[in-house]
Amino acid sequence: MAHYLTHARIYTPFVCIEPGTLVISDGRIVAVDHVTALPPPRNAQVTNLEGFWITPGLIDVHIHGLLGYDVMGEGLVEVCRLLPRYGVTAFAPTTLTLPWEETLIRLRHMARLLARSSQGAQPIGIHIEGPHLSPKRPGMANPRWMRPLTLEDWQAMQQAAQGHIRLITFAPEEGHGAVLIPKLRAEGVIPVIGHSDARFDQVADWVQHGLTMATHTFNAMRGLHHREPGVVGAVLHFEDIVAQLIADGHHVHPVAMKILLQAKGPTGVALISDAAPLAGMPPGEYTWGTYRVIVDGSTVRLPDGTLAGAYALLDTGLRNLINLVGLSFQEALITATVTPARALGVPKGIIRPGYDADLVVWTPDLHVAFTFVQGKVVYTSPAHDTVLAPKLP
Ligand SMILES: [Zn+2]
């Protein structure tokens, strides 16, 4: 049966249609238009969403977990179930730097879980973040376990993950890691520069060979110096690089976020949460993998104060781009929908016929009322649980 969602304000997100109507069927978007231009199909379930805003579902390409659940284990199932309440409908479960053998064991486990179908947000491939990082830019990761990326390591990881790896964050300047960039691209994997101390001229060369993304821009990368623009300068300069951005208000100063968005525009910036498995947990001391971390109610840190992933989820980042950086809702939305979907080449992130019916229905103060994944309601906020109930004739 088709769903006919009507009288809402719809952000495609490039265009705003009000009052707008959306027809979804078999998990896909069938039509979207102004209410007067699109009558309900026969036998469709009609839902009046006057006063609500509909957008594409948010896509988080860099997330380690939330609410005590770690994507590198059983917790992955719960992460799928919980993310829709934050408006996230698709995500890339992201690994943590651990000893090499442990990394492979965890990847095997993740692959087994990914092979089963799960309820909620859809995993769209594993994102590897470590151990192929630069010990000079470790962030929270333990430099003892770091090693240059080699063909053998890449093959071992992708084999353990049964082909589920879609993104790999690494420092191409370590060893001969950079030579793998074209191979990763040829295999449909996104090479992501991150935790890197590379010089600008090195990054410029890798862009020629297919480098297309940067992990948590500004954090754990060589900064911009006016005579050596570094990794940050390269990310700002090259249109081909999509810049991941954590907008939790702690990892990047609002002015730095604004400079990045002015340089690249919303289609060049992918909003990420980088949420730690402790995101959303009460203040206290916890373990993440083998790391001891401290949660204070707004950040997650190592005992020495280093930020260890983020505490906020993607919906908070979206609101921060509007409230702290001054983006319009449509601009902010593009960074969390269109940009990551295009980078991954998935038919999501835009409300357009033929695309997946992954949708978020928001209240005008930007809180999630309902979330749809492939046309099915996977989350209903307790405040709105009567709106979607089928009306009796
Ligand atoms: Zn991370």
mmCIF file of all heavy atoms in Angstrom, residues 102-148:
data_model
loop_
_atom_site.group_PDB
_atom_site.id
_atom_site.type_symbol
_atom_site.label_atom_id
_atom_site.label_comp_id
_atom_site.label_asym_id
_atom_site.label_seq_id
_atom_site.Cartn_x
_atom_site.Cartn_y
_atom_site.Cartn_z
ATOM 1 N N GLU A 102 43.197 -7.977 17.260
ATOM 2 C CA GLU A 102 41.888 -7.625 17.815
ATOM 3 C C GLU A 102 41.034 -6.929 16.744
ATOM 4 O O GLU A 102 39.825 -7.168 16.639
ATOM 5 C CB GLU A 102 42.099 -6.719 19.033
ATOM 6 C CG GLU A 102 40.837 -6.254 19.728
ATOM 7 C CD GLU A 102 40.085 -7.357 20.474
ATOM 8 O OE1 GLU A 102 40.677 -8.432 20.702
ATOM 9 O OE2 GLU A 102 38.898 -7.127 20.794
ATOM 10 N N THR A 103 41.671 -6.096 15.942
ATOM 11 C CA THR A 103 40.956 -5.408 14.850
ATOM 12 C C THR A 103 40.314 -6.438 13.920
ATOM 13 O O THR A 103 39.135 -6.323 13.561
ATOM 14 C CB THR A 103 41.931 -4.509 14.061
ATOM 15 O OG1 THR A 103 42.515 -3.573 14.967
ATOM 16 C CG2 THR A 103 41.231 -3.745 12.944
ATOM 17 N N LEU A 104 41.090 -7.459 13.537
ATOM 18 C CA LEU A 104 40.573 -8.473 12.606
ATOM 19 C C LEU A 104 39.439 -9.280 13.240
ATOM 20 O O LEU A 104 38.433 -9.579 12.577
ATOM 21 C CB LEU A 104 41.696 -9.402 12.147
ATOM 22 C CG LEU A 104 42.800 -8.742 11.305
ATOM 23 C CD1 LEU A 104 43.844 -9.773 10.890
ATOM 24 C CD2 LEU A 104 42.227 -8.052 10.069
ATOM 25 N N ILE A 105 39.586 -9.607 14.526
ATOM 26 C CA ILE A 105 38.525 -10.363 15.218
ATOM 27 C C ILE A 105 37.221 -9.550 15.215
ATOM 28 O O ILE A 105 36.144 -10.061 14.904
ATOM 29 C CB ILE A 105 38.964 -10.692 16.674
ATOM 30 C CG1 ILE A 105 40.101 -11.718 16.660
ATOM 31 C CG2 ILE A 105 37.783 -11.187 17.512
ATOM 32 C CD1 ILE A 105 40.818 -11.882 17.999
ATOM 33 N N ARG A 106 37.352 -8.254 15.534
ATOM 34 C CA ARG A 106 36.162 -7.391 15.585
ATOM 35 C C ARG A 106 35.530 -7.253 14.190
ATOM 36 O O ARG A 106 34.311 -7.210 14.061
ATOM 37 C CB ARG A 106 36.525 -5.998 16.108
ATOM 38 C CG ARG A 106 37.125 -5.992 17.501
ATOM 39 C CD ARG A 106 36.072 -6.220 18.571
ATOM 40 N NE ARG A 106 36.617 -5.876 19.870
ATOM 41 C CZ ARG A 106 36.156 -4.888 20.632
ATOM 42 N NH1 ARG A 106 35.132 -4.166 20.257
ATOM 43 N NH2 ARG A 106 36.706 -4.634 21.798
ATOM 44 N N LEU A 107 36.362 -7.158 13.153
ATOM 45 C CA LEU A 107 35.821 -7.029 11.789
ATOM 46 C C LEU A 107 35.035 -8.280 11.396
ATOM 47 O O LEU A 107 33.979 -8.184 10.759
ATOM 48 C CB LEU A 107 36.942 -6.763 10.776
ATOM 49 C CG LEU A 107 37.521 -5.339 10.810
ATOM 50 C CD1 LEU A 107 38.724 -5.231 9.865
ATOM 51 C CD2 LEU A 107 36.461 -4.300 10.421
ATOM 52 N N ARG A 108 35.557 -9.451 11.771
ATOM 53 C CA ARG A 108 34.830 -10.703 11.466
ATOM 54 C C ARG A 108 33.458 -10.685 12.135
ATOM 55 O O ARG A 108 32.456 -11.069 11.551
ATOM 56 C CB ARG A 108 35.638 -11.916 11.950
ATOM 57 C CG ARG A 108 36.763 -12.280 11.002
ATOM 58 C CD ARG A 108 37.502 -13.544 11.437
ATOM 59 N NE ARG A 108 38.868 -13.448 10.954
ATOM 60 C CZ ARG A 108 39.944 -13.251 11.710
ATOM 61 N NH1 ARG A 108 39.829 -13.206 13.029
ATOM 62 N NH2 ARG A 108 41.141 -13.126 11.171
ATOM 63 N N HIS A 109 33.460 -10.227 13.381
ATOM 64 C CA HIS A 109 32.219 -10.169 14.148
ATOM 65 C C HIS A 109 31.228 -9.184 13.507
ATOM 66 O O HIS A 109 30.042 -9.477 13.341
ATOM 67 C CB HIS A 109 32.545 -9.764 15.582
ATOM 68 C CG HIS A 109 31.433 -10.026 16.535
ATOM 69 N ND1 HIS A 109 30.859 -11.271 16.685
ATOM 70 C CD2 HIS A 109 30.771 -9.194 17.366
ATOM 71 C CE1 HIS A 109 29.885 -11.183 17.592
ATOM 72 N NE2 HIS A 109 29.818 -9.944 18.011
ATOM 73 N N MET A 110 31.740 -8.005 13.132
ATOM 74 C CA MET A 110 30.879 -6.997 12.491
ATOM 75 C C MET A 110 30.293 -7.549 11.193
ATOM 76 O O MET A 110 29.121 -7.339 10.892
ATOM 77 C CB MET A 110 31.675 -5.721 12.200
ATOM 78 C CG MET A 110 32.072 -4.945 13.437
ATOM 79 S SD MET A 110 33.225 -3.584 13.079
ATOM 80 C CE MET A 110 32.093 -2.289 12.536
ATOM 81 N N ALA A 111 31.123 -8.274 10.419
ATOM 82 C CA ALA A 111 30.656 -8.818 9.133
ATOM 83 C C ALA A 111 29.509 -9.808 9.353
ATOM 84 O O ALA A 111 28.535 -9.813 8.598
ATOM 85 C CB ALA A 111 31.814 -9.484 8.402
ATOM 86 N N ARG A 112 29.620 -10.632 10.411
ATOM 87 C CA ARG A 112 28.537 -11.586 10.705
ATOM 88 C C ARG A 112 27.236 -10.845 11.029
ATOM 89 O O ARG A 112 26.159 -11.218 10.582
ATOM 90 C CB ARG A 112 28.932 -12.495 11.881
ATOM 91 C CG ARG A 112 29.798 -13.690 11.467
ATOM 92 C CD ARG A 112 29.828 -14.755 12.558
ATOM 93 N NE ARG A 112 30.487 -14.303 13.773
ATOM 94 C CZ ARG A 112 31.813 -14.333 13.968
ATOM 95 N NH1 ARG A 112 32.611 -14.819 13.032
ATOM 96 N NH2 ARG A 112 32.344 -13.906 15.094
ATOM 97 N N LEU A 113 27.351 -9.769 11.807
ATOM 98 C CA LEU A 113 26.147 -9.011 12.179
ATOM 99 C C LEU A 113 25.567 -8.275 10.970
ATOM 100 O O LEU A 113 24.354 -8.175 10.816
ATOM 101 C CB LEU A 113 26.476 -8.004 13.285
ATOM 102 C CG LEU A 113 26.866 -8.625 14.631
ATOM 103 C CD1 LEU A 113 27.443 -7.561 15.555
ATOM 104 C CD2 LEU A 113 25.671 -9.289 15.298
ATOM 105 N N LEU A 114 26.450 -7.772 10.098
ATOM 106 C CA LEU A 114 25.979 -7.020 8.930
ATOM 107 C C LEU A 114 25.295 -7.928 7.913
ATOM 108 O O LEU A 114 24.470 -7.473 7.124
ATOM 109 C CB LEU A 114 27.143 -6.268 8.262
ATOM 110 C CG LEU A 114 27.707 -5.093 9.069
ATOM 111 C CD1 LEU A 114 28.963 -4.539 8.405
ATOM 112 C CD2 LEU A 114 26.675 -3.995 9.234
ATOM 113 N N ALA A 115 25.646 -9.209 7.943
ATOM 114 C CA ALA A 115 25.032 -10.146 7.003
ATOM 115 C C ALA A 115 23.570 -10.410 7.354
ATOM 116 O O ALA A 115 22.770 -10.772 6.502
ATOM 117 C CB ALA A 115 25.816 -11.450 6.989
ATOM 118 N N ARG A 116 23.213 -10.219 8.639
ATOM 119 C CA ARG A 116 21.813 -10.366 9.048
ATOM 120 C C ARG A 116 21.095 -9.045 8.785
ATOM 121 O O ARG A 116 21.709 -7.986 8.801
ATOM 122 C CB ARG A 116 21.738 -10.597 10.561
ATOM 123 C CG ARG A 116 22.355 -11.868 11.039
ATOM 124 C CD ARG A 116 21.957 -12.041 12.512
ATOM 125 N NE ARG A 116 23.036 -12.569 13.308
ATOM 126 C CZ ARG A 116 23.238 -12.273 14.593
ATOM 127 N NH1 ARG A 116 22.445 -11.434 15.206
ATOM 128 N NH2 ARG A 116 24.241 -12.814 15.258
ATOM 129 N N SER A 117 19.767 -9.115 8.597
ATOM 130 C CA SER A 117 19.055 -7.854 8.441
ATOM 131 C C SER A 117 18.700 -7.342 9.827
ATOM 132 O O SER A 117 18.352 -8.115 10.713
ATOM 133 C CB SER A 117 17.807 -8.031 7.581
ATOM 134 O OG SER A 117 16.857 -8.768 8.294
ATOM 135 N N SER A 118 18.823 -6.044 10.015
ATOM 136 C CA SER A 118 18.510 -5.502 11.340
ATOM 137 C C SER A 118 17.456 -4.412 11.210
ATOM 138 O O SER A 118 17.231 -3.867 10.143
ATOM 139 C CB SER A 118 19.777 -4.961 11.993
ATOM 140 O OG SER A 118 20.461 -4.142 11.087
ATOM 141 N N GLN A 119 16.826 -4.104 12.336
ATOM 142 C CA GLN A 119 15.767 -3.107 12.398
ATOM 143 C C GLN A 119 16.374 -1.726 12.557
ATOM 144 O O GLN A 119 17.314 -1.566 13.311
ATOM 145 C CB GLN A 119 14.888 -3.386 13.635
ATOM 146 C CG GLN A 119 14.238 -4.739 13.643
ATOM 147 C CD GLN A 119 13.027 -4.768 12.733
ATOM 148 O OE1 GLN A 119 12.236 -3.842 12.728
ATOM 149 N NE2 GLN A 119 12.897 -5.817 11.940
ATOM 150 N N GLY A 120 15.826 -0.737 11.863
ATOM 151 C CA GLY A 120 16.241 0.639 12.121
ATOM 152 C C GLY A 120 17.109 1.207 11.027
ATOM 153 O O GLY A 120 16.909 0.931 9.847
ATOM 154 N N ALA A 121 18.105 2.027 11.446
ATOM 155 C CA ALA A 121 18.985 2.682 10.475
ATOM 156 C C ALA A 121 19.805 1.628 9.722
ATOM 157 O O ALA A 121 20.155 0.592 10.290
ATOM 158 C CB ALA A 121 19.908 3.661 11.191
ATOM 159 N N GLN A 122 20.094 1.919 8.455
ATOM 160 C CA GLN A 122 20.817 0.941 7.625
ATOM 161 C C GLN A 122 22.324 1.181 7.659
ATOM 162 O O GLN A 122 22.775 2.274 7.337
ATOM 163 C CB GLN A 122 20.381 1.079 6.172
ATOM 164 C CG GLN A 122 19.002 0.556 5.895
ATOM 165 C CD GLN A 122 18.706 0.626 4.414
ATOM 166 O OE1 GLN A 122 19.011 1.615 3.754
ATOM 167 N NE2 GLN A 122 18.124 -0.424 3.892
ATOM 168 N N PRO A 123 23.101 0.154 7.983
ATOM 169 C CA PRO A 123 24.554 0.295 7.839
ATOM 170 C C PRO A 123 24.899 0.280 6.346
ATOM 171 O O PRO A 123 24.402 -0.565 5.604
ATOM 172 C CB PRO A 123 25.110 -0.967 8.524
ATOM 173 C CG PRO A 123 23.937 -1.615 9.211
ATOM 174 C CD PRO A 123 22.704 -1.162 8.502
ATOM 175 N N ILE A 124 25.705 1.260 5.912
ATOM 176 C CA ILE A 124 26.056 1.307 4.487
ATOM 177 C C ILE A 124 27.548 1.040 4.305
ATOM 178 O O ILE A 124 28.193 1.642 3.458
ATOM 179 C CB ILE A 124 25.666 2.653 3.830
ATOM 180 C CG1 ILE A 124 25.986 3.826 4.759
ATOM 181 C CG2 ILE A 124 24.203 2.671 3.453
ATOM 182 C CD1 ILE A 124 25.724 5.176 4.147
ATOM 183 N N GLY A 125 28.086 0.129 5.088
ATOM 184 C CA GLY A 125 29.488 -0.239 4.950
ATOM 185 C C GLY A 125 30.318 0.240 6.116
ATOM 186 O O GLY A 125 30.026 1.269 6.719
ATOM 187 N N ILE A 126 31.351 -0.539 6.422
ATOM 188 C CA ILE A 126 32.227 -0.237 7.560
ATOM 189 C C ILE A 126 33.202 0.880 7.181
ATOM 190 O O ILE A 126 33.674 0.953 6.053
ATOM 191 C CB ILE A 126 33.019 -1.504 7.966
ATOM 192 C CG1 ILE A 126 32.056 -2.587 8.479
ATOM 193 C CG2 ILE A 126 34.092 -1.181 9.019
ATOM 194 C CD1 ILE A 126 32.709 -3.956 8.684
ATOM 195 N N HIS A 127 33.461 1.757 8.157
ATOM 196 C CA HIS A 127 34.489 2.793 8.015
ATOM 197 C C HIS A 127 35.646 2.408 8.949
ATOM 198 O O HIS A 127 35.453 2.307 10.160
ATOM 199 C CB HIS A 127 33.876 4.149 8.401
ATOM 200 C CG HIS A 127 34.821 5.305 8.314
ATOM 201 N ND1 HIS A 127 34.387 6.604 8.429
ATOM 202 C CD2 HIS A 127 36.156 5.383 8.129
ATOM 203 C CE1 HIS A 127 35.425 7.427 8.317
ATOM 204 N NE2 HIS A 127 36.519 6.707 8.154
ATOM 205 N N ILE A 128 36.813 2.163 8.378
ATOM 206 C CA ILE A 128 38.001 1.815 9.173
ATOM 207 C C ILE A 128 38.696 3.095 9.615
ATOM 208 O O ILE A 128 39.017 3.942 8.777
ATOM 209 C CB ILE A 128 39.005 0.985 8.319
ATOM 210 C CG1 ILE A 128 38.382 -0.330 7.852
ATOM 211 C CG2 ILE A 128 40.320 0.769 9.069
ATOM 212 C CD1 ILE A 128 38.249 -1.369 8.924
ATOM 213 N N GLU A 129 38.922 3.249 10.921
ATOM 214 C CA GLU A 129 39.697 4.399 11.414
ATOM 215 C C GLU A 129 40.789 3.866 12.332
ATOM 216 O O GLU A 129 40.623 3.741 13.527
ATOM 217 C CB GLU A 129 38.808 5.405 12.157
ATOM 218 C CG GLU A 129 39.545 6.701 12.482
ATOM 219 C CD GLU A 129 38.728 7.677 13.322
ATOM 220 O OE1 GLU A 129 37.783 7.246 13.997
ATOM 221 O OE2 GLU A 129 39.060 8.868 13.317
ATOM 222 N N GLY A 130 41.901 3.511 11.742
ATOM 223 C CA GLY A 130 43.004 2.952 12.496
ATOM 224 C C GLY A 130 43.092 1.449 12.334
ATOM 225 O O GLY A 130 42.088 0.829 12.026
ATOM 226 N N PRO A 131 44.277 0.878 12.448
ATOM 227 C CA PRO A 131 45.494 1.453 13.046
ATOM 228 C C PRO A 131 46.464 2.111 12.054
ATOM 229 O O PRO A 131 47.595 2.397 12.430
ATOM 230 C CB PRO A 131 46.152 0.214 13.658
ATOM 231 C CG PRO A 131 45.811 -0.891 12.694
ATOM 232 C CD PRO A 131 44.436 -0.552 12.156
ATOM 233 N N HIS A 132 46.015 2.421 10.809
ATOM 234 C CA HIS A 132 46.974 2.928 9.807
ATOM 235 C C HIS A 132 47.043 4.451 9.844
ATOM 236 O O HIS A 132 46.764 5.128 8.850
ATOM 237 C CB HIS A 132 46.598 2.385 8.432
ATOM 238 C CG HIS A 132 46.454 0.887 8.445
ATOM 239 N ND1 HIS A 132 45.230 0.248 8.485
ATOM 240 C CD2 HIS A 132 47.398 -0.090 8.501
ATOM 241 C CE1 HIS A 132 45.420 -1.066 8.534
ATOM 242 N NE2 HIS A 132 46.723 -1.297 8.555
ATOM 243 N N LEU A 133 47.407 4.958 11.005
ATOM 244 C CA LEU A 133 47.392 6.402 11.256
ATOM 245 C C LEU A 133 48.807 6.891 11.541
ATOM 246 O O LEU A 133 49.715 6.091 11.749
ATOM 247 C CB LEU A 133 46.486 6.701 12.452
ATOM 248 C CG LEU A 133 45.093 6.045 12.455
ATOM 249 C CD1 LEU A 133 44.356 6.366 13.746
ATOM 250 C CD2 LEU A 133 44.274 6.468 11.245
ATOM 251 N N SER A 134 48.966 8.215 11.580
ATOM 252 C CA SER A 134 50.292 8.776 11.894
ATOM 253 C C SER A 134 50.447 8.936 13.400
ATOM 254 O O SER A 134 49.623 9.591 14.040
ATOM 255 C CB SER A 134 50.446 10.143 11.224
ATOM 256 O OG SER A 134 51.556 10.807 11.794
ATOM 257 N N PRO A 135 51.525 8.351 13.960
ATOM 258 C CA PRO A 135 51.761 8.538 15.400
ATOM 259 C C PRO A 135 51.964 10.015 15.758
ATOM 260 O O PRO A 135 51.859 10.392 16.922
ATOM 261 C CB PRO A 135 53.061 7.755 15.658
ATOM 262 C CG PRO A 135 53.249 6.879 14.452
ATOM 263 C CD PRO A 135 52.552 7.553 13.303
ATOM 264 N N LYS A 136 52.231 10.858 14.738
ATOM 265 C CA LYS A 136 52.389 12.301 15.019
ATOM 266 C C LYS A 136 51.042 13.002 15.203
ATOM 267 O O LYS A 136 50.995 14.120 15.703
ATOM 268 C CB LYS A 136 53.138 12.974 13.869
ATOM 269 C CG LYS A 136 54.589 12.559 13.775
ATOM 270 C CD LYS A 136 55.279 13.361 12.689
ATOM 271 C CE LYS A 136 56.714 12.888 12.525
ATOM 272 N NZ LYS A 136 57.188 13.112 11.166
ATOM 273 N N ARG A 137 49.965 12.377 14.738
ATOM 274 C CA ARG A 137 48.622 12.974 14.857
ATOM 275 C C ARG A 137 47.648 11.934 15.402
ATOM 276 O O ARG A 137 46.683 11.563 14.742
ATOM 277 C CB ARG A 137 48.131 13.465 13.484
ATOM 278 C CG ARG A 137 49.040 14.464 12.809
ATOM 279 C CD ARG A 137 48.854 15.853 13.387
ATOM 280 N NE ARG A 137 49.880 16.762 12.861
ATOM 281 C CZ ARG A 137 49.991 18.032 13.224
ATOM 282 N NH1 ARG A 137 49.131 18.547 14.089
ATOM 283 N NH2 ARG A 137 50.942 18.791 12.735
ATOM 284 N N PRO A 138 47.905 11.426 16.615
ATOM 285 C CA PRO A 138 47.135 10.268 17.088
ATOM 286 C C PRO A 138 45.704 10.583 17.519
ATOM 287 O O PRO A 138 44.844 9.708 17.484
ATOM 288 C CB PRO A 138 47.950 9.774 18.288
ATOM 289 C CG PRO A 138 48.690 10.972 18.768
ATOM 290 C CD PRO A 138 48.964 11.824 17.551
ATOM 291 N N GLY A 139 45.445 11.844 17.943
ATOM 292 C CA GLY A 139 44.151 12.072 18.582
ATOM 293 C C GLY A 139 44.076 11.182 19.801
ATOM 294 O O GLY A 139 45.044 11.103 20.564
ATOM 295 N N MET A 140 42.989 10.447 19.973
ATOM 296 C CA MET A 140 42.855 9.561 21.134
ATOM 297 C C MET A 140 43.534 8.208 20.921
ATOM 298 O O MET A 140 43.715 7.449 21.858
ATOM 299 C CB MET A 140 41.383 9.314 21.452
ATOM 300 C CG MET A 140 40.718 8.401 20.446
ATOM 301 S SD MET A 140 39.171 7.651 20.989
ATOM 302 C CE MET A 140 39.693 6.578 22.313
ATOM 303 N N ALA A 141 43.866 7.876 19.652
ATOM 304 C CA ALA A 141 44.333 6.521 19.342
ATOM 305 C C ALA A 141 45.735 6.257 19.892
ATOM 306 O O ALA A 141 46.579 7.146 19.919
ATOM 307 C CB ALA A 141 44.311 6.315 17.823
ATOM 308 N N ASN A 142 45.959 5.021 20.305
ATOM 309 C CA ASN A 142 47.240 4.638 20.911
ATOM 310 C C ASN A 142 48.305 4.440 19.819
ATOM 311 O O ASN A 142 48.195 3.515 19.011
ATOM 312 C CB ASN A 142 47.047 3.342 21.699
ATOM 313 C CG ASN A 142 48.265 2.996 22.528
ATOM 314 O OD1 ASN A 142 49.378 3.425 22.221
ATOM 315 N ND2 ASN A 142 48.058 2.215 23.577
ATOM 316 N N PRO A 143 49.365 5.297 19.812
ATOM 317 C CA PRO A 143 50.385 5.198 18.744
ATOM 318 C C PRO A 143 51.106 3.848 18.726
ATOM 319 O O PRO A 143 51.636 3.440 17.692
ATOM 320 C CB PRO A 143 51.371 6.322 19.093
ATOM 321 C CG PRO A 143 50.623 7.237 19.990
ATOM 322 C CD PRO A 143 49.629 6.395 20.738
ATOM 323 N N ARG A 144 51.109 3.135 19.846
ATOM 324 C CA ARG A 144 51.799 1.836 19.919
ATOM 325 C C ARG A 144 51.255 0.840 18.910
ATOM 326 O O ARG A 144 51.944 -0.067 18.463
ATOM 327 C CB ARG A 144 51.632 1.263 21.334
ATOM 328 C CG ARG A 144 52.869 1.442 22.192
ATOM 329 C CD ARG A 144 52.866 0.515 23.394
ATOM 330 N NE ARG A 144 51.587 0.553 24.108
ATOM 331 C CZ ARG A 144 51.039 -0.517 24.691
ATOM 332 N NH1 ARG A 144 51.629 -1.691 24.611
ATOM 333 N NH2 ARG A 144 49.906 -0.398 25.354
ATOM 334 N N TRP A 145 49.959 0.960 18.575
ATOM 335 C CA TRP A 145 49.328 -0.018 17.681
ATOM 336 C C TRP A 145 49.298 0.456 16.230
ATOM 337 O O TRP A 145 48.760 -0.222 15.355
ATOM 338 C CB TRP A 145 47.907 -0.328 18.163
ATOM 339 C CG TRP A 145 47.887 -0.886 19.558
ATOM 340 C CD1 TRP A 145 48.807 -1.740 20.092
ATOM 341 C CD2 TRP A 145 46.936 -0.621 20.578
ATOM 342 N NE1 TRP A 145 48.486 -2.028 21.391
ATOM 343 C CE2 TRP A 145 47.332 -1.357 21.713
ATOM 344 C CE3 TRP A 145 45.780 0.156 20.648
ATOM 345 C CZ2 TRP A 145 46.617 -1.327 22.911
ATOM 346 C CZ3 TRP A 145 45.063 0.172 21.830
ATOM 347 C CH2 TRP A 145 45.488 -0.555 22.951
ATOM 348 N N MET A 146 49.844 1.633 15.978
ATOM 349 C CA MET A 146 49.771 2.175 14.616
ATOM 350 C C MET A 146 50.809 1.539 13.716
ATOM 351 O O MET A 146 51.879 1.138 14.163
ATOM 352 C CB MET A 146 49.962 3.695 14.659
ATOM 353 C CG MET A 146 48.789 4.378 15.320
ATOM 354 S SD MET A 146 48.991 6.157 15.339
ATOM 355 C CE MET A 146 47.567 6.596 16.332
ATOM 356 N N ARG A 147 50.476 1.444 12.425
ATOM 357 C CA ARG A 147 51.362 0.865 11.429
ATOM 358 C C ARG A 147 50.953 1.422 10.066
ATOM 359 O O ARG A 147 49.790 1.787 9.872
ATOM 360 C CB ARG A 147 51.252 -0.663 11.449
ATOM 361 C CG ARG A 147 49.812 -1.140 11.391
ATOM 362 C CD ARG A 147 49.630 -2.505 11.989
ATOM 363 N NE ARG A 147 49.729 -3.563 10.995
ATOM 364 C CZ ARG A 147 49.938 -4.844 11.312
ATOM 365 N NH1 ARG A 147 50.053 -5.204 12.584
ATOM 366 N NH2 ARG A 147 50.006 -5.763 10.372
ATOM 367 N N PRO A 148 51.909 1.470 9.116
ATOM 368 C CA PRO A 148 51.550 1.987 7.786
ATOM 369 C C PRO A 148 50.595 1.026 7.092
ATOM 370 O O PRO A 148 50.644 -0.189 7.316
ATOM 371 C CB PRO A 148 52.891 2.031 7.035
ATOM 372 C CG PRO A 148 53.951 1.877 8.073
ATOM 373 C CD PRO A 148 53.336 1.112 9.201
#
